Amino acid sequence: MELTLLGTGCPSVDYKRFGPSNLVSTKKTKILVDCGSGVTQRLHKLKVSSAEIDALIFTHLHSDHAVDLYQLIISSWHSYRVKPWKIYGPKGTKKFVKKIMDAWADERNLRIKYEARASAKTFDINVLEFKSLGNVKIKDINIKYFEVDHKPVKFAYGFCFTNKNKKLTISGDTKPCENLMKYAQKSDVLLHEVFIEGEIKETNKMRTKETLHNVQSYHTISSEVGKVAFITQSKKLILTHFVPTQFNKVRLKNIIKKDFGKEPIIGEDLMTIKI
Ligand SMILES: [Zn+2]
Ligand SMILES: [Zn+2]
């Protein structure tokens, strides 16, 4: 199994760290986790066509994780996708996908008629919504999904991917929570989000102490993520979803090493990890 980080950023714009998105793949299977800003450009750079993706799964429906959905669907059509899309996500995903598709329906129908491509199957979208806990099998990859704590977001998930006795856990957006520590046990790789303390300064009335506190309080902060990884007994910790996107890497590694006992890997866009 392989994990490729397509976007390691957050809602802030940064040309080196695109919006959150990851690709989990084997020789047979390609699963996209989230589709943040720039996902199709990153797939293109990786030489993976969106026509080949087996499924898209959403951790949650915050815009930084979902904003390029339509771009993904439409570019898969331009890439000659001939199969329907399979999308898994939290409660509300069906409505969300329908609204996005509806917004572009007139433009799309005009295009389909005028361009007369051989297949419009890509626009048949099957959406399955998660329960609180469960399993999904996509070809040779098993996915266990479980709820994480990203309140006030009601439905947010983390995932364990398994293939050939190897386990990859993706935290999704969450503050430290029991479920993650339970299901991520003994992961070969734990991909975890992080909010880096002390790197964002209050600037003006738009970014007050309260704003910073609120953002920080539904994420896992740098002084917590190493402890979480240690409790899960994960072999490797890879960090992603950096808030802010620019920070002191040496300082962050040192803080986490103290808790985790090992150095974490600072994720970068297009980094691939074999699992
Ligand atoms: Zn979020
Ligand atoms: Zn996010």
Side-chain angles (χ1 to χ4, degrees), residues 209-236:
K209 221 173 226 165
E210 192 191 359
T211 312
L212 285 181
H213 169 79
N214 288 349
V215 174
Q216 178 171 329
S217 67
Y218 65 176
H219 288 290
T220 302
I221 55 179
S222 34
S223 59
E224 294 168 332
V225 67
K227 296 183 179 88
V228 171
F230 179 78
I231 291 167
T232 64
Q233 305 178 67
S234 293
K235 283 188 193 153
K236 256 185 208 167

Side-chain angles (χ1 to χ4, degrees), residues 64-65 173 241:
D64 50 325
H65 298 252
D173 281 16
H241 198 291

